[in-house]
Each structure stands twice: as structure tokens, then as C-alpha cells.
């Protein structure tokens, strides 16, 4: 069976990892507010999920001093941007109830 690997929530207890998720979430919520729509708390939850589902990436960055938290932060931000863009594309394809109702009413008049 393929798909998303089982999360390893233990990586969130490693030094610096949970605060890093908060910083990455803040960057997404503040830095991309004009083009991408994601609230801070939603972005933080997504960041924690990404980290937990990519324990190999977390461990690789923390084990190698040349990578460290800086590279982990960069990779996490890129993953968050990908998730936000995917969600935005999904929302664009859906017609809201209000828009559908308005279109139906215009068709009847």
C-alpha cells in the first residue's frame, strides 16, 4: 500500500523542531497573505503534520551540522507553500453555494 507514510510524532519532541513549525507557519500566514490564503494556526498544524510525516528529513537535517534547523526550515516552508497552492487550486475549481445560487437565479430571470 502506498500513500502518505505513518506519522512519527516523536520528531516534534526533538530540540527546536516545534518552534520551527511555528516560525514557518508565521512566514506563510504573513508573507504570502496577498496571494495564498492560510491562517497561522492552520499553517502551524500543516507544518507539524509535514514534519511528522517526514521524519527522515527531520532526522537528516538535525544529524548533519551543515544542514541543521536552517535547511529544515527552508524545506518546511517549501512544503507549506506547495500545500497552500494545492489547496488554493482545489478551492478555485469549486463553485461556492452563493455563486451557484446567484447563477441559477440569473438564469431564471
Amino acid at each position: 500500500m502506498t500513500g502518505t507514510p505513518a506519522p512519527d510524532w516523536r520528531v516534534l519532541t526533538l530540540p527546536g523542531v516545534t518552534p520551527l513549525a511555528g516560525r514557518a507557519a508565521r512566514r506563510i500566514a504573513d508573507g504570502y497573505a496577498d496571494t495564498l490564503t492560510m491562517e497561522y494556526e492552520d499553517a502551524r498544524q500543516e507544518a507539524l503534520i509535514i514534519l511528522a510525516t517526514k521524519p527522515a528529513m527531520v532526522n537528516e537535517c538535525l544529524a548533519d551540522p551543515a544542514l541543521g534547523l536552517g535547511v529544515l526550515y527552508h524545506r518546511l516552508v517549501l512544503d507549506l507553500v506547495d500545500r497552500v497552492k494545492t489547496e488554493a487550486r482545489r478551492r478555485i475549481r469549486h463553485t461556492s453555494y452563493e455563486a451557484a445560487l446567484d447563477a441559477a437565479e440569473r438564469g431564471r430571470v
Side-chain angles (χ1 to χ4, degrees), residues 23-45:
R23 285 193 301 278
R26 179 59 55 206
R27 177 162 178 201
I28 296 301
D30 293 347
Y32 295 93
D34 57 333
T35 56
L36 306 173
T37 56
M38 183 174 273
E39 299 293 324
Y40 168 77
E41 217 25 72
D42 293 335
R44 185 174 176 279
Q45 291 299 319

Side-chain angles (χ1 to χ4, degrees), residues 89-109:
R89 281 192 296 271
R90 190 175 303 129
R91 269 186 268 137
I92 288 169
R93 286 190 293 240
H94 292 297
T95 303
S96 72
Y97 171 77
E98 292 81 12
L101 182 62
D102 185 50
E105 287 175 353
R106 280 182 288 161
R108 281 190 248 160
V109 177

Side-chain angles (χ1 to χ4, degrees), residues 2 6 10-11 13 15 27 30 33 35 37-38 44 47 49 51 58 61 64 68 71 85 92-94 102-103:
T2 61
R10 295 174 298 182
V11 298
T13 65
R27 177 162 178 201
D30 293 347
T35 56
T37 56
M38 183 174 273
R44 185 174 176 279
I49 291 168
L51 292 167
V58 174
C61 288
D64 186 344
V71 170
K85 285 181 179 179
I92 288 169
R93 286 190 293 240
H94 292 297
D102 185 50

